[in-house]
Amino acid sequence: MIPNPQNVQGIVDAMALSEVKGRSLWADARTRFLRNKAATVSLVLLIFVAAFALFGSLIAQWERDFVDFTLIGSNAYKGVPSLETGHYFGTDNNGRDLYARVVQGTGISLMVGMVGAMVAVVVGTLYGATAGYFGGRLDGIMMRIVDVLMSIPFMFVLILMLVIFGRSITMLFIGIGLISWLDMARIARGQTLTIKNKEFVEVAVATGVHPIKIILRHIVPNLLGIVIVYATLLVPNMIIFESFISFLGLGVQEPNTSLGALINEGAGSMQYGTLWQIGFPLFFFVVTIFAFFFVGDGLRDALDPKDR
Amino acid sequence: MSPILSVRDLSVTFDVRKQGAWPWTPAQKLHAVSQMSFDLNAGECLGVVGESGSGKSTLARAIVGTVPSSNGSILFEGADLANMDTRERRVHRRDVQMIFQDPLAALNPRMTVGDIIAEPLVTHEPSTPRKEVKMRVATLMERVGLLPNLINRYPHEFSGGQCQRIGIARALILRPKLIICDEPVSALDVSVQAQVVNLLMELQRDMGLSMIFIAHDLSVVKHISDRIVVMYLGRQMETATADTLTTAPEHPYTQALISSVPIPDPALEKARVRPILEGELPSPLAPPSGCVFRTRCPKVQASCAGDRPQMIDLGGDHHVACPYHAPEHVLASNSA
């Protein structure tokens, strides 16, 4: 059955003319996702929030660390949000422009969430898929390591780390990176156990595909649906986690800020009538988190139409 | 002619652990395949039949190498596949390809058909230029009866029969010497079954393939095979040419299997007397002593529980493992 080169060229030419584009499962999922109104609106909101964090500083009238001493003490009536003064969101207790600070806080909070989710997706998926695919003793050892790490009270460890090595945003990222992939590894492993018994994996083994390629080509793409859903649900958890640390005063340090730190400050001055100081950061916080949850829900429905 | 594949005393056992047992409790041994021996000549098609749970698929997987064999040897062109290290084995995999029962499950849902068919080629000849890969995929798709312009489609966009054709194309792209078909048609419609079986026969003839064809449908196996092996509970019961086996079966189990094939004529079907097998397949964890078929055999006698029956050569490439046919028995019945 050696192909005649001329015929083959004809076939290839014909194919180029009439090649039918297939509808991948991803394309199907996109259609289903876009049909989900809440999820689509949330996605648009998220894009707005991200754009606000990225480009919001361009229209800020004040530097985020400029302290307007004239406002100190008279915040409640001079620092109100107004377009004329250029303090769109008002000022904080120290007379700094709240708009510029909310832009930065949103950016840092989103970044914390994204870094946590990225580490979880990359490390957690590969770790879990490897453990699940090879199974046996390797699986046992790898998953017991995860169990051990999980049983450490990480909030306590993180607080210790921040106290010992100094409070910095890098330390916070390291702390979040260390814990965020553990759950993901378990989820990926569990899913791998079902996928590796599918016949297409057996075909690949029988064909002689290298195990690493099998994991990357056959296991991970089929895991990705569940991983993406979990990652979108993980982002808000990471943001909440960072906000909590910042709320305790251990997270992001002045003059930098995050939504958690801003809410903390706003909460402290609520009784003086400066409600905008908690209102604006809280608004962005709630919108981001809700939007992520809705997008995650939408993705789950879109990627697994069978188990709703 | 020396056989392309000769399997000698092949056994596959699985460790089965009781649920909730301690990790150090010894596992029970499940004998899925036990001391199988057969030869396959180049260009020949060997059918394997037996009811569910008789170890047909395990046999196929042991030859393909996705299940480790616990004993015996698999000589493929003189090289023992069963006792090779992983790396060497991986190189040999290109010559033995497999076609699976569930056509859709055997295709990765996230890959395009073109990528699926090309995978063996890309794995074993990674230096092949992309254009040539595509060309070979397209010719092969044409050959197995698929439109080559569907190369970018995904498996879920195809019917069962088409999916099986994709599976066949993938198995053939490296021009292997041996193809193992594990119930390739039992998940398909009857009309599609015929198409796929005919395609397989055609390809086998044209490409000079050797083939092992596993099925529980004796009529399909008879149609495609030159010789047939009958399996029961992981043991070889009878081996003969397709004609001999279907017209003059010697083993009581083969006789029962053949009588279970329905005749497409109600009058004939009603008229015929057939031995009905009582009971279920015994557990492979605790197989009966002696002849494993004795618990259901219509011709069972006391001697069946003794030693494991040996393969007896009846001449004309016809072998049977039944104590009923043992020379001692023949002598005993003569003297009586």
Side-chain angles (χ1 to χ4, degrees):
Chain A
M1 208 213 61
I2 287 143
N4 174 351
Q6 271 176 338
N7 283 350
V8 167
Q9 196 50 50
I11 292 173
V12 171
D13 290 345
M15 274 169 58
L17 286 178
S18 62
E19 228 161 69
V20 180
K21 185 107 180 62
R23 278 165 61 87
S24 71
L25 294 180
W26 298 119
D28 284 351
R30 194 170 55 226
T31 333
R32 275 195 296 270
F33 181 83
L34 291 178
R35 219 179 290 146
N36 182 339
K37 298 224 170 49
T40 317
V41 169
S42 298
L43 187 65
V44 172
L45 278 179
L46 269 187
I47 292 169
F48 273 123
V49 170
F52 172 76
L54 284 175
F55 308 114
S57 54
L58 296 180
I59 56 162
Q61 303 280 336
W62 304 82
E63 289 290 313
R64 63 167 173 263
D65 47 4
F66 174 77
V67 178
D68 192 348
F69 289 100
T70 60
L71 292 177
I72 295 181
S74 49
N75 240 324
Y77 47 94
K78 276 192 186 160
V80 283
S82 89
L83 288 176
E84 287 140 46
T85 56
H87 296 300
Y88 306 129
F89 291 177
T91 60
D92 71 356
N93 263 348
N94 298 326
R96 289 175 295 193
D97 181 32
L98 197 60
Y99 174 80
R101 289 176 67 74
V102 171
V103 169
Q104 193 204 17
T106 311
I108 284 187
S109 284
L110 278 181
M111 205 156 77
V112 167
M114 293 292 178
V115 167
M118 287 276 269
V119 172
V121 167
V122 176
V123 179
T125 309
L126 290 179
Y127 192 92
T130 309
Y133 179 73
F134 289 106
R137 189 161 296 166
L138 183 74
D139 181 32
I141 293 170
M142 285 175 85
M143 292 328 282
R144 290 306 79 71
I145 291 174
V146 169
D147 289 349
V148 168
L149 287 178
M150 270 190 149
S151 61
I152 297 172
F154 71 89
M155 187 65 86
F156 179 68
V157 173
L158 184 65
I159 290 171
L160 270 185
M161 271 167 63
L162 289 169
V163 169
I164 294 170
F165 300 110
R167 295 175 258 178
S168 71
I169 199 152
T170 359
M171 215 59 228
L172 196 67
F173 278 151
I174 291 172
I176 284 178
L178 278 179
I179 53 123
S180 63
W181 60 274
L182 297 174
D183 277 318
M184 187 68 94
R186 279 188 169 174
I187 291 171
R189 171 186 173 264
Q191 203 64 14
T192 306
L193 291 182
T194 56
I195 293 173
K196 79 165 179 181
N197 289 323
K198 294 249 169 84
E199 284 185 343
F200 63 83
V201 176
E202 202 182 342
V203 175
V205 175
T207 309
V209 183
H210 196 272
I212 293 171
K213 282 222 172 107
I214 293 183
I215 291 177
L216 292 179
R217 198 185 290 159
H218 295 286
I219 307 265
V220 169
N222 285 292
L223 279 178
L224 229 47
I226 241 170
V227 166
I228 288 174
V229 171
Y230 187 69
T232 47
L233 298 177
L234 195 67
V235 173
N237 284 333
M238 288 295 138
I239 295 176
I240 293 172
F241 176 64
E242 184 276 334
S243 298
F244 178 66
I245 296 282
S246 295
F247 193 84
L248 293 179
L250 287 167
V252 181
Q253 293 306 303
E254 296 289 351
N256 293 323
T257 191
S258 74
L259 287 179
L262 285 171
I263 293 168
N264 181 27
E265 281 172 30
S269 60
M270 256 192 319
Q271 70 245 43
Y272 308 123
T274 55
L275 277 181
W276 61 86
Q277 288 183 3
I278 189 170
F280 284 107
L282 204 57
F283 171 78
F284 280 93
F285 184 75
V286 169
V287 165
T288 312
I289 297 212
F290 266 75
F292 265 116
F293 280 137
F294 276 118
V295 168
D297 261 7
L299 279 176
R300 192 188 53 215
D301 291 350
L303 292 169
D304 295 324
K306 270 170 251 153
D307 44 63
R308 206 169 295 205
Chain B
M1 190 167 59
S2 71
I4 186 167
L5 176 81
S6 48
V7 172
R8 288 287 167 267
D9 284 330
L10 181 71
S11 299
V12 179
T13 51
F14 295 115
D15 286 348
V16 178
R17 291 189 176 279
K18 266 215 189 88
Q19 281 275 299
W22 292 108
W24 53 84
T25 318
Q28 279 182 291
K29 294 262 183 245
L30 187 152
H31 298 268
V33 172
S34 176
Q35 297 177 18
M36 292 281 292
S37 295
F38 59 85
D39 286 335
L40 177 70
N41 296 321
E44 187 187 32
C45 178
L46 180 74
V48 179
V49 287
E51 65 194 287
S52 308
S54 58
K56 306 178 303 268
S57 292
T58 309
L59 174 69
R61 284 170 165 79
I63 296 172
V64 159
T66 53
V67 159
S69 57
S70 53
N71 215 335
S73 58
I74 304 166
L75 292 169
F76 180 76
E77 294 187 319
D80 187 0
L81 299 181
N83 303 307
M84 257 181 199
D85 66 59
T86 326
R87 194 164 308 214
E88 210 180 337
R89 182 79 182 81
R90 206 173 284 144
V91 178
H92 270 83
R93 287 181 193 275
R94 63 171 300 158
D95 291 328
V96 184
Q97 295 285 324
M98 188 159 170
I99 296 168
F100 284 83
Q101 175 172 14
D102 185 343
L104 190 58
L107 308 175
N108 184 346
R110 307 274 176 198
M111 279 163 86
T112 62
V113 171
D115 289 340
I116 290 171
I117 298 177
E119 187 173 36
L121 183 63
V122 175
T123 304
H124 287 280
E125 295 167 20
S127 56
T128 322
R130 241 193 207 167
K131 206 160 174 199
E132 196 193 321
V133 171
K134 200 171 173 184
M135 208 159 83
R136 281 172 71 173
V137 170
T139 17
L140 207 54
M141 282 176 80
E142 184 98 0
R143 184 72 190 79
V144 299
L146 291 165
L147 288 175
N149 65 358
L150 300 179
I151 194 164
N152 286 330
R153 291 242 171 167
Y154 289 85
H156 65 272
E157 299 173 291
F158 290 89
S159 70
Q162 284 176 313
C163 284
Q164 198 54 283
R165 287 168 196 269
I166 297 168
I168 294 171
R170 168 176 56 191
L172 292 179
I173 194 155
L174 284 171
R175 304 202 181 98
K177 292 169 182 146
L178 170 63
I179 295 244
I180 296 172
C181 309
D182 184 9
E183 309 212 10
V185 295
S186 45
L188 304 175
D189 278 344
V190 178
S191 57
V192 183
Q193 278 189 9
Q195 292 170 13
V196 172
V197 167
N198 289 337
L199 173 70
L200 280 171
M201 287 177 78
E202 210 179 291
L203 289 167
Q204 191 212 356
R205 202 182 47 232
D206 292 355
M207 298 175 74
L209 293 168
S210 311
M211 198 148 85
I212 294 180
F213 190 96
I214 296 171
H216 50 242
D217 185 349
L218 202 58
S219 48
V220 174
V221 174
K222 183 195 161 196
H223 180 60
I224 193 170
S225 313
D226 302 312
R227 282 190 306 140
I228 298 178
V229 175
V230 178
M231 280 180 82
Y232 180 81
L233 209 68
R235 271 95 169 154
Q236 206 168 352
M237 292 285 124
E238 187 165 5
T239 309
T241 58
D243 280 341
T244 320
L245 195 98
T246 43
T247 51
E250 286 295 340
H251 198 285
Y253 180 60
T254 318
Q255 288 164 2
L257 264 189
I258 287 177
S259 73
S260 73
V261 176
I263 304 170
D265 179 346
L268 279 176
E269 179 72 37
K270 225 174 232 170
R272 78 175 162 161
V273 194
R274 51 198 214 182
I276 291 176
L277 286 188
E278 300 284 332
E280 295 280 320
L281 198 68
S283 163
L285 281 170
S289 65
C291 173
V292 285
F293 185 55
R294 71 185 163 85
T295 52
R296 298 166 77 190
C297 185
K299 296 178 179 155
V300 64
Q301 20 190 295
S303 64
C304 291
D307 287 334
R308 180 175 175 149
Q310 296 301 309
M311 274 302 214
I312 302 157
D313 193 347
L314 300 179
D317 216 4
H318 192 165
H319 297 77
V320 67
C322 179
Y324 183 65
H325 291 89
E328 309 95 78
H329 171 82
V330 178
L331 292 175
S333 63
N334 281 352
S335 64

